Amino acid sequence: QVQLVESGGGLVQPGESLRLSCAASRIIFSTRLMAWYRQAPGKQRELVAGFTSGGSTDYADFVKGRFTISRDNANNTVYLQMNSLKPEDTAVYYCNTRGRFAPWGQGTRVTVSS
């Protein structure tokens, strides 16, 4: 079964950190490049961070130096460590593959507010 389940979101103050998790079905995790996306209210979904075919990672300019994507191959899980959070990071965060998307999960909501 193709499945993506995100968790770890919440309400935090500016400057704080969160770590998001994405449990992926094995067929997705083992065969596709994984990435994190987000969708802020009234905006289109956008790429935040992802793994590349060269075995590296890349990040959107607006999170470079603050967010880190990582993976646990044994548990088919992708993480997004988010530091120095800003109010503009408020969004629903999703994981998915790069390119041809799998069915989207429910996402996890991140709210950054004082």
Side-chain angles (χ1 to χ4, degrees), residues 35-55:
W36 282 95
Y37 301 82
R38 72 184 187 186
Q39 186 166 21
K43 295 187 177 181
Q44 290 189 336
R45 193 170 294 169
E46 58 187 358
L47 177 68
V48 175
F51 293 96
T52 69
S53 57

Side-chain angles (χ1 to χ4, degrees), residues 67-86:
F67 291 11
T68 303
I69 187 172
S70 62
R71 58 191 291 159
D72 178 350
N73 292 333
N75 292 298
N76 301 331
T77 302
V78 182
Y79 300 101
L80 185 67
Q81 178 67 43
M82 306 188 297
N83 298 329
S84 302
L85 282 161
K86 304 176 181 180

Side-chain angles (χ1 to χ4, degrees), residues 8 11 13-14 17 20-21 24 32 34-35 37 40 45-46 49-50 53 64 67 75 78 84 89 95 105 107 109:
L11 171 63
Q13 295 188 346
S17 299
L20 307 183
S21 299
R32 307 293 300 279
M34 298 298 297
Y37 301 82
R45 193 170 294 169
E46 58 187 358
S53 57
K64 279 182 180 176
F67 291 11
N75 292 298
V78 182
S84 302
D89 294 319
C95 67
R109 185 174 301 276

Side-chain angles (χ1 to χ4, degrees), residues 12 19 80 87 114:
V12 296
R19 189 173 85 151
L80 185 67
S114 56

Side-chain angles (χ1 to χ4, degrees), residues 97-110:
T97 59
R98 304 190 79 151
R100 186 163 54 105
F101 296 131
W104 293 89
Q106 82 289 348
T108 186
R109 185 174 301 276
V110 173

